Amino acid sequence: MSQNARIFRSSFSQSISGPSSSEECSPLLPHVLSYEKGKDKDNDLAILENQDNIIGDEEFGGTEARRRLEKKLVRKLDARMSILIVIYILNYIDRNNASAARLRGFETDLNLKGQEFNTLLSILYVGYILMQIPSNMFLNYIGKPSIYLPVCMIIWGAISCLTGITHNFIGALMTRFFLGFVEAAFFPGALFLLSKWYTRKELGVRTAMLSCGSLISNAFGSLIASGILEGMQGKLGHSAWRWLFYIEGALTVAVAILAIFILPDFPATSRSWLSEEEVRLAEKRMTEDVGVGDKGETEGHGHVRGLVMAMTDWKVWWLAVALTSMVVSLSFNAFFPTLSATMGYDRTVTLLLCAPPWAFATIVAFAVTRHSDRVGERFWHIAGPLFFGIIGFVIAVSTMNTAARYVSLFLMAQSYAGFIVFLTWISNSIPRPPSKRAVALAFINAFSQLGNIAGSYVWPTGWGPSYRHSYAICISTNGLTIIMCYFFKRHLDSLNKRLEAKEEEEGRSKGFRFLS
C-alpha cells in the first residue's frame, strides 16, 4: 500500500476516534474533523474542496490492472442491478392498474361516486409519503437491500391481490393506502442503492435505466392490461378487473422471490459475489468520486445526524419543491388511458395506443441521460424535455384533432426524460455523507408525492374531453420547475467558483465540481 494510502486511512480513522499526536495527519483531516463536529459554515464544501486522489492504484497492480478490474466490477454490478428495472415495472403496474381497471367496470362494481375514484388514486400517496424517510434510514442502517427491498415487494404484491377481492369504497381505500405505505420502500431505496455503487459520471444512465422501468410499465402495462381485461371477463365468476389485480400482484410476488438472490447489498456489506479486491475497489471508487468514503457512514452513529443535516439544508427543500411542481405537470401519467380515450377509439384500441408514446419516451430518456453524463451537465437536459412537454400541452389545449392530440401525447411522455435527469441531479448535488443522502433522496421523493395527490384532482371528468384547465395547470407547473432549476444551477455554479478559487489559493490540482 502506498504511503499516501496509509496516511489517508490513518487520518480517516482519526476522524472517527480522534487524532493522535503520534500519527501523521493528512491535509484532509481538519476538514473531516470539523465536518464531523458540525463547525464548518458549509459542510458540503468542507469535505469536497479537498477531494484530491490520495490513494494510488498500487494495491490493484497498477493503473491498467485497476482499469480492467473496474470494468469487470461494473459489468457484474450492472447485471445484478438490472433486476431493479423489472421491479420498478411491477411497482408502477401495481400502482397504476386502477386506471386500467376503470375501463372495465371498476367504478361501477364498487359503487364509486363523485370524487371517490380520485380519492383512491391520491390515498396511495399518503402512505407513500409517510414511509419513505424512515424506510431509507432503516435501509442505510441495516445495509441489506437484497433482503429488505424484496420483502417489501412481496408484501405489496399480496396487497395488490387483495384489491381484487374488495367490494366497496372503504375496502379499496384501505388496500390502496397500505399499498402506497409498502411501495414507498422501493424507489428511494433503489436510488440510494445506485448512489452507493456508481460514480457521478455513471449515475445518470443507471438512474435512467431504473426510471425507464416506469416508462416501460406505461407502455407494456397497458398491453398486459388490455389482454387481461379482454380475455378474463367472467372467468371463474370474477370480473376482468379483479383478474387484473390477481395476476399482476402474483407476478410481483414471484419476481420478489428471485430478487432476494440477485440484488446486491452495499459495498461495505457485499462479500458473497465479490472478491476482497473488488470490494476494496468499489469502496475506493466512491471515495475518489467526492473525497470521503461511505463505510464510516453506514454504521448506526450516522443515521440520526444525517436526518438533521438533510432537514436543515435549504437545497433539499428547494429541490423538493421543484420536483413537486414537476410531478404535478406529470400527473397526466395516471390518466393516460383517459386522455387516449378522448381520441374516440374503443377500449382495446385506446389501451394499445398508450404504448407507442411511452416507448418513444424511453428512447428519449436514454439519449438525454447518456448525453447528460457524457458532457457533465444537468440543467439544460432537464429544461429541454420539460419545454417540449409544454409544447405538447399547448397542442392539446389548442385542438381536438385526432392526429394532433396523439402527437401531443408523445411530447408529454418524453418530458419524463427531464424527471429522470433531475433525480440524478439530486444525488450529484448532495453527495456526502451517505446518511444525509439517504434522507435527502427519501424526503425529496416523498415531498414530491404531494404533487401526485394534487395531480389526482387535476383531471376531473367534468373538464373533459378537452381538459384545457388541466393542461393549463401542467404548463404553469412545468414553467415553475424550469425557473427553480435555473436558480439552483446558478447556485451550484457559484459553489464551483468558490472551489476553484480555493484550489488556486492553495496551489492544488482540480478536484470535485458540482454538476450544474
Side-chain angles (χ1 to χ4, degrees):
M1 184 183 297
S2 68
Q3 178 66 15
N4 281 338
R6 287 193 295 270
I7 291 173
F8 170 77
R9 292 189 177 183
S10 170
S11 63
F12 185 76
S13 174
Q14 290 177 46
S15 73
I16 303 298
S17 58
S20 170
S21 58
S22 63
E23 294 181 83
E24 185 176 1
C25 293
S26 78
L28 180 63
L29 177 57
H31 295 277
V32 174
L33 287 173
S34 61
Y35 172 76
E36 292 288 325
K37 296 174 183 177
K39 291 182 179 180
D40 274 272
K41 286 185 177 180
D42 192 324
N43 284 327
D44 293 327
L45 294 182
I47 285 182
L48 300 176
E49 64 190 11
N50 283 276
Q51 182 269 338
D52 296 331
N53 291 338
I54 52 182
I55 308 177
D57 295 331
E58 292 85 353
E59 62 178 313
F60 305 109
T63 302
E64 280 302 318
R66 179 234 165 101
R67 186 177 294 116
R68 290 193 298 270
L69 182 63
E70 190 164 1
K71 287 182 179 179
K72 179 183 176 183
L73 170 65
V74 173
R75 282 197 302 268
K76 291 171 70 173
L77 187 57
D78 286 342
R80 287 182 173 264
M81 290 293 193
S82 62
I83 190 68
L84 291 175
I85 302 173
V86 180
I87 296 175
Y88 199 26
I89 290 172
L90 296 172
N91 179 275
Y92 242 74
I93 285 177
D94 288 336
R95 189 188 310 180
N96 292 338
N97 49 17
S99 295
R102 187 185 194 187
L103 300 176
R104 195 71 182 192
F106 180 75
E107 287 182 287
T108 302
D109 290 354
L110 297 185
N111 298 312
L112 302 183
K113 299 178 178 62
Q115 295 292 321
E116 288 181 343
F117 178 78
N118 302 83
T119 302
L120 288 181
L121 294 183
S122 63
I123 195 65
L124 180 143
Y125 297 103
V126 176
Y128 199 74
I129 290 170
L130 292 175
M131 191 57 185
Q132 288 196 43
I133 292 177
S135 174
N136 251 24
M137 290 177 66
F138 182 69
L139 177 59
N140 185 51
Y141 178 73
I142 64 172
K144 288 290 181 180
S146 66
I147 302 297
Y148 179 65
L149 296 181
V151 167
C152 291
M153 188 180 177
I154 290 172
I155 296 172
W156 93 56
I159 293 173
S160 183
C161 289
L162 290 176
T163 308
I165 68 172
T166 57
H167 291 278
N168 54 49
F169 171 68
I170 297 300
L173 190 73
M174 295 300 293
T175 57
R176 293 286 295 178
F177 171 78
F178 286 108
L179 179 65
F181 194 82
V182 182
E183 277 198 353
F186 173 69
F187 189 60
L191 289 177
F192 184 53
L193 176 59
L194 292 176
S195 72
K196 279 283 200 173
W197 285 98
Y198 292 106
T199 64
R200 291 175 301 133
K201 290 292 187 181
E202 301 165 342
L203 193 57
V205 171
R206 273 67 183 190
T207 303
M209 292 174 65
L210 169 65
S211 299
C212 281
S214 67
L215 305 182
I216 294 170
S217 74
N218 287 323
F220 293 100
S222 298
L223 299 179
I224 294 171
S226 175
I228 295 173
L229 293 177
E230 286 301 314
M232 299 301 293
Q233 180 63 30
K235 300 294 184 183
L236 300 180
H238 298 299
S239 299
W241 70 263
R242 296 187 186 276
W243 281 110
L244 183 67
F245 288 102
Y246 297 153
I247 294 173
E248 293 180 347
L251 182 61
T252 296
V253 173
V255 172
I257 295 172
L258 292 176
I260 294 174
F261 304 99
I262 298 175
L263 269 179
D265 291 318
F266 298 145
T269 55
S270 288
R271 291 294 183 272
S272 61
W273 60 284
L274 292 176
S275 66
E276 287 296 323
E277 189 178 36
E278 287 172 330
V279 171
R280 291 199 306 273
L281 178 58
E283 293 175 340
K284 184 190 176 193
R285 277 161 38 89
M286 304 314 297
T287 300
E288 289 176 337
D289 199 37
V290 288
V292 175
D294 277 1
K295 189 171 182 180
E297 281 291 341
T298 58
E299 299 168 1
H301 75 274
H303 67 283
V304 174
R305 184 186 59 212
L307 173 64
V308 175
M309 291 174 63
M311 302 313 295
T312 55
D313 186 345
W314 73 267
K315 294 194 300 294
V316 173
W317 290 90
W318 186 269
L319 290 171
V321 173
L323 186 59
T324 301
S325 182
M326 189 190 306
V327 167
V328 173
S329 75
L330 298 176
S331 61
F332 64 85
N333 164 53
F335 296 86
F336 212 75
T338 300
L339 300 180
S340 180
T342 62
M343 291 185 290
Y345 296 102
D346 63 38
R347 179 173 52 249
T348 301
V349 174
T350 291
L351 288 173
L352 293 176
L353 287 174
C354 291
W358 293 113
F360 173 72
T362 303
I363 296 171
V364 172
F366 269 112
V368 170
T369 53
R370 187 174 182 82
H371 189 263
S372 177
D373 275 357
R374 184 177 300 166
V375 301
E377 198 281 334
R378 298 300 187 217
F379 168 73
W380 292 109
H381 290 82
I382 296 170
L386 294 185
F387 176 75
F388 281 105
I390 290 176
I391 294 176
F393 296 137
V394 171
I395 292 174
V397 168
S398 304
T399 180
M400 291 299 293
N401 177 271
T402 299
R405 288 181 78 81
Y406 196 47
V407 169
S408 75
L409 293 181
F410 280 81
L411 292 172
M412 293 179 212
Q414 65 77 44
S415 62
Y416 258 86
F419 173 77
I420 295 170
V421 177
F422 190 96
L423 295 176
T424 307
W425 209 17
I426 296 172
S427 295
N428 295 157
S429 303
I430 310 173
R432 292 293 184 272
S435 56
K436 176 184 178 181
R437 187 172 74 250
V439 174
L441 285 168
F443 173 74
I444 292 170
N445 193 60
F447 190 92
S448 72
Q449 300 313 306
L450 294 173
N452 274 321
I453 294 176
S456 299
Y457 298 94
V458 169
W459 306 89
T461 304
W463 287 0
S466 67
Y467 290 102
R468 287 184 179 137
H469 298 298
S470 306
Y471 289 126
I473 292 172
C474 292
I475 292 170
S476 301
T477 52
N478 241 359
L480 176 61
T481 301
I482 293 173
I483 293 171
M484 292 190 70
C485 287
Y486 176 73
F487 280 103
F488 189 67
K489 167 186 164 59
R490 294 295 300 271
H491 171 69
L492 295 184
D493 287 339
S494 69
L495 292 182
N496 286 337
K497 289 180 180 178
R498 288 171 55 187
L499 288 168
E500 183 177 1
K502 188 75 171 179
E503 288 166 354
E504 291 179 356
E505 178 184 336
E506 298 178 358
R508 292 186 287 110
S509 59
K510 182 177 179 179
F512 174 88
R513 292 292 187 274
F514 288 101
L515 300 182
S516 63

XYZ file of all heavy atoms in Angstrom, residues 88 92 187-188 191-192 194-195 203-204 207-208 210-212 214 319 323 326-327 330 369 378 382 416-430 437 441 444-446 448-449:
368
model
N -39.230 -2.169 -10.815
C -39.889 -0.876 -10.975
C -41.055 -0.959 -11.948
O -42.063 -0.272 -11.789
C -38.877 0.173 -11.424
C -39.330 1.597 -11.182
C -40.240 1.896 -10.168
C -38.833 2.650 -11.943
C -40.644 3.199 -9.939
C -39.230 3.949 -11.712
C -40.138 4.217 -10.706
O -40.549 5.507 -10.490
N -44.789 0.135 -10.726
C -45.671 1.091 -11.389
C -46.958 0.438 -11.865
O -48.033 1.040 -11.817
C -44.936 1.759 -12.553
C -44.787 3.244 -12.387
C -43.874 3.763 -11.467
C -45.559 4.135 -13.100
C -43.735 5.127 -11.295
C -45.428 5.502 -12.937
C -44.514 5.992 -12.034
O -44.386 7.344 -11.860
N -38.568 2.888 -4.449
C -37.909 3.843 -5.336
C -36.800 4.639 -4.654
O -35.671 4.686 -5.159
C -38.935 4.773 -5.978
C -38.358 5.626 -7.065
C -37.792 5.043 -8.180
C -38.361 7.006 -6.976
C -37.237 5.824 -9.201
C -37.820 7.790 -7.977
C -37.257 7.196 -9.096
N -37.038 5.280 -3.496
C -35.920 5.969 -2.847
C -34.827 5.001 -2.416
O -33.643 5.344 -2.439
C -36.563 6.668 -1.646
C -37.827 5.930 -1.403
C -38.299 5.446 -2.736
N -32.759 4.283 -5.578
C -31.892 5.422 -5.885
C -30.689 5.468 -4.943
O -29.555 5.734 -5.363
C -32.680 6.730 -5.777
C -33.738 7.017 -6.850
C -34.462 8.320 -6.528
C -33.111 7.076 -8.231
N -30.946 5.196 -3.675
C -29.861 5.204 -2.688
C -28.881 4.065 -2.969
O -27.662 4.245 -2.879
C -30.452 5.084 -1.288
C -29.425 5.184 -0.191
C -28.554 6.250 -0.138
C -29.338 4.210 0.792
C -27.599 6.351 0.871
C -28.401 4.299 1.798
C -27.526 5.368 1.844
N -28.199 2.684 -5.885
C -27.396 3.068 -7.046
C -26.308 4.067 -6.656
O -25.164 3.976 -7.116
C -28.288 3.671 -8.129
C -29.274 2.734 -8.836
C -30.142 3.526 -9.807
C -28.546 1.622 -9.568
N -26.651 5.034 -5.810
C -25.693 6.072 -5.428
C -24.573 5.515 -4.562
O -23.538 6.156 -4.394
C -26.405 7.217 -4.697
O -26.810 6.821 -3.389
N -23.850 7.579 -12.890
C -25.138 7.510 -12.208
C -26.316 7.904 -13.090
O -27.418 7.352 -12.955
C -25.101 8.401 -10.957
C -26.232 8.233 -9.950
C -26.314 6.796 -9.460
C -26.039 9.186 -8.767
N -26.110 8.845 -14.016
C -27.220 9.310 -14.846
C -27.834 8.204 -15.678
O -29.049 8.009 -15.689
N -29.571 5.652 -13.420
C -30.856 6.159 -12.947
C -31.882 6.118 -14.069
O -33.061 5.815 -13.840
C -30.705 7.605 -12.425
O -29.726 7.639 -11.382
C -32.026 8.130 -11.879
N -31.419 6.405 -15.292
C -32.322 6.317 -16.446
C -32.804 4.895 -16.654
O -33.982 4.648 -16.925
C -31.615 6.820 -17.698
N -33.137 2.617 -14.424
C -34.130 2.330 -13.395
C -35.451 3.024 -13.708
O -36.515 2.388 -13.722
C -33.604 2.807 -12.029
C -34.632 2.817 -10.880
C -35.085 1.394 -10.566
C -34.036 3.484 -9.643
N -35.389 4.318 -13.960
C -36.612 5.084 -14.167
C -37.349 4.687 -15.433
O -38.564 4.849 -15.520
C -36.289 6.582 -14.201
O -35.713 7.003 -12.981
N -36.609 4.176 -16.402
C -37.279 3.711 -17.617
C -38.177 2.519 -17.325
O -39.033 2.174 -18.148
C -36.256 3.356 -18.696
S -35.613 4.816 -19.558
N -40.480 2.673 -15.192
C -41.815 3.265 -15.113
C -42.358 3.568 -16.499
O -43.552 3.411 -16.757
C -41.783 4.549 -14.270
O -41.043 5.565 -14.915
N -35.041 21.635 -3.863
C -35.203 20.546 -4.819
C -36.541 19.832 -4.626
O -37.165 19.392 -5.597
C -34.047 19.550 -4.677
C -32.671 20.052 -5.135
C -31.578 19.064 -4.734
C -32.644 20.291 -6.639
N -39.290 19.514 -7.577
C -39.745 18.210 -8.044
C -41.253 18.050 -7.875
O -41.924 17.442 -8.715
C -39.011 17.096 -7.294
C -39.291 15.667 -7.785
C -38.907 15.517 -9.255
C -38.549 14.648 -6.934
N -42.855 19.658 -10.738
C -42.722 18.824 -11.926
C -43.691 17.644 -11.891
O -44.292 17.280 -12.904
C -41.287 18.295 -12.052
C -41.018 17.597 -13.385
S -39.422 16.718 -13.457
C -38.276 18.012 -12.987
N -43.854 17.034 -10.713
C -44.736 15.878 -10.585
C -46.184 16.252 -10.899
O -46.926 15.464 -11.489
C -44.610 15.255 -9.173
C -45.728 14.259 -8.906
C -43.259 14.565 -9.030
N -46.583 16.146 -14.465
C -46.523 14.780 -14.981
C -47.715 13.934 -14.548
O -47.747 12.728 -14.810
C -45.228 14.096 -14.522
C -43.910 14.721 -14.991
C -42.730 13.997 -14.374
C -43.804 14.712 -16.510
N -30.180 11.240 -20.964
C -29.368 10.975 -19.770
C -27.944 10.570 -20.143
O -26.986 10.952 -19.457
C -30.006 9.874 -18.912
O -30.256 8.709 -19.723
C -31.316 10.344 -18.307
N -26.468 19.161 -16.304
C -27.778 18.689 -15.867
C -28.930 19.637 -16.242
O -29.957 19.185 -16.739
C -27.781 18.481 -14.341
C -26.811 17.431 -13.821
C -27.065 16.069 -14.381
N -26.233 15.046 -13.760
C -25.718 14.019 -14.399
N -25.904 13.870 -15.706
N -24.974 13.130 -13.758
N -32.589 18.913 -18.303
C -33.896 18.886 -17.619
C -34.854 19.844 -18.316
O -36.001 19.495 -18.635
C -33.739 19.275 -16.138
C -32.882 18.255 -15.397
C -35.109 19.410 -15.462
C -32.489 18.679 -13.997
N -40.672 13.058 -19.389
C -40.156 12.242 -18.283
C -38.635 12.171 -18.299
O -38.013 11.870 -17.271
C -40.749 10.833 -18.347
C -41.865 10.618 -17.353
C -43.161 10.971 -17.666
C -41.618 10.082 -16.094
C -44.198 10.793 -16.753
C -42.628 9.901 -15.187
C -43.921 10.254 -15.513
O -44.932 10.081 -14.605
N -38.007 12.440 -19.456
C -36.547 12.467 -19.512
C -35.991 13.518 -18.549
O -34.980 13.298 -17.874
C -36.074 12.743 -20.937
N -36.651 14.682 -18.490
C -36.235 15.720 -17.551
C -36.377 15.279 -16.109
O -35.537 15.593 -15.255
N -37.432 14.530 -15.811
C -37.658 13.993 -14.471
C -36.508 13.064 -14.066
O -36.002 13.120 -12.938
C -38.993 13.241 -14.452
C -39.284 12.495 -13.183
C -39.710 13.158 -12.049
C -39.150 11.114 -13.129
C -39.993 12.470 -10.870
C -39.436 10.418 -11.965
C -39.848 11.103 -10.833
N -36.067 12.215 -14.993
C -35.003 11.253 -14.691
C -33.677 11.961 -14.447
O -32.956 11.638 -13.499
C -34.884 10.232 -15.838
C -36.164 9.388 -15.925
C -33.673 9.338 -15.648
C -36.248 8.518 -17.157
N -33.346 12.938 -15.283
C -32.104 13.689 -15.079
C -32.159 14.439 -13.744
O -31.150 14.550 -13.036
C -31.860 14.669 -16.241
C -30.609 15.508 -15.991
C -31.710 13.912 -17.554
N -33.338 14.934 -13.376
C -33.488 15.641 -12.106
C -33.158 14.713 -10.938
O -32.500 15.124 -9.974
C -34.917 16.170 -11.971
C -35.119 17.104 -10.810
C -35.055 18.476 -10.986
C -35.358 16.620 -9.534
C -35.226 19.346 -9.920
C -35.540 17.473 -8.460
C -35.475 18.846 -8.652
N -33.615 13.478 -10.988
C -33.324 12.526 -9.914
C -31.825 12.315 -9.768
O -31.302 12.216 -8.649
C -34.023 11.187 -10.189
C -35.546 11.194 -10.179
C -36.079 9.828 -10.568
C -36.083 11.597 -8.805
N -31.136 12.233 -10.897
C -29.676 12.093 -10.855
C -29.036 13.333 -10.259
O -28.064 13.251 -9.492
C -29.130 11.877 -12.276
O -29.824 10.790 -12.888
C -27.644 11.573 -12.253
N -29.569 14.492 -10.587
C -29.048 15.767 -10.082
C -29.111 15.823 -8.557
O -28.244 16.415 -7.913
C -29.850 16.907 -10.697
C -29.102 18.196 -10.852
C -27.753 18.374 -10.822
C -29.662 19.494 -11.079
N -27.433 19.697 -11.027
C -28.585 20.408 -11.184
C -30.957 19.972 -11.224
C -28.787 21.760 -11.414
C -31.151 21.321 -11.459
C -30.083 22.205 -11.546
N -30.132 15.221 -7.985
C -30.257 15.221 -6.528
C -29.064 14.507 -5.905
O -28.408 15.033 -4.995
C -31.570 14.528 -6.094
C -32.784 15.312 -6.594
C -31.616 14.398 -4.571
C -34.100 14.588 -6.384
N -28.766 13.291 -6.385
C -27.637 12.536 -5.841
C -26.322 13.263 -6.080
O -25.435 13.257 -5.219
C -27.581 11.147 -6.487
O -28.719 10.380 -6.148
N -26.158 13.898 -7.246
C -24.943 14.652 -7.543
C -24.771 15.851 -6.624
O -23.642 16.201 -6.264
C -24.970 15.151 -8.987
C -24.945 14.043 -10.022
O -25.381 14.243 -11.143
N -24.463 12.860 -9.657
N -25.868 16.494 -6.266
C -25.805 17.754 -5.526
C -25.732 17.558 -4.018
O -25.383 18.488 -3.296
C -27.032 18.621 -5.865
O -27.108 18.848 -7.256
N -26.071 16.361 -3.539
C -25.982 16.057 -2.101
C -25.208 14.749 -1.971
O -25.768 13.715 -1.599
C -27.381 15.947 -1.467
C -28.217 17.169 -1.845
C -27.287 15.832 0.054
C -29.657 17.098 -1.419
N -27.522 11.760 2.388
C -28.040 11.495 1.054
C -29.247 10.563 1.109
O -30.211 10.739 0.358
C -26.935 10.880 0.184
C -27.323 10.733 -1.277
C -26.132 10.319 -2.111
N -25.750 8.933 -1.940
C -24.656 8.510 -1.332
N -23.818 9.376 -0.807
N -24.379 7.220 -1.241
N -32.730 11.938 -0.438
C -33.411 11.261 -1.538
C -34.826 10.867 -1.156
O -35.777 11.048 -1.919
C -32.618 10.022 -1.963
C -31.343 10.264 -2.774
C -30.521 8.982 -2.878
C -31.681 10.790 -4.161
N -37.054 14.213 -0.528
C -37.414 14.916 -1.755
C -38.439 14.122 -2.546
O -39.426 14.671 -3.050
C -36.159 15.184 -2.604
C -35.249 16.202 -1.888
C -36.531 15.714 -3.992
C -33.883 16.358 -2.516
N -38.225 12.812 -2.648
C -39.180 11.976 -3.377
C -40.518 11.916 -2.661
O -41.589 11.963 -3.291
C -38.612 10.573 -3.565
C -39.406 9.766 -4.570
O -39.532 10.132 -5.731
N -39.973 8.662 -4.124
N -40.481 11.828 -1.323
C -41.725 11.771 -0.543
C -42.490 13.090 -0.651
O -43.703 13.104 -0.878
C -41.416 11.463 0.924
N -42.375 15.237 -2.968
C -42.882 15.429 -4.326
C -44.192 14.682 -4.566
O -44.930 15.017 -5.502
C -41.845 14.973 -5.352
O -41.719 13.560 -5.376
N -44.485 13.700 -3.720
C -45.737 12.959 -3.900
C -46.961 13.817 -3.551
O -48.095 13.445 -3.890
C -45.727 11.687 -3.050
C -44.606 10.728 -3.385
C -44.458 10.493 -4.869
O -45.412 10.116 -5.557
N -43.249 10.718 -5.391
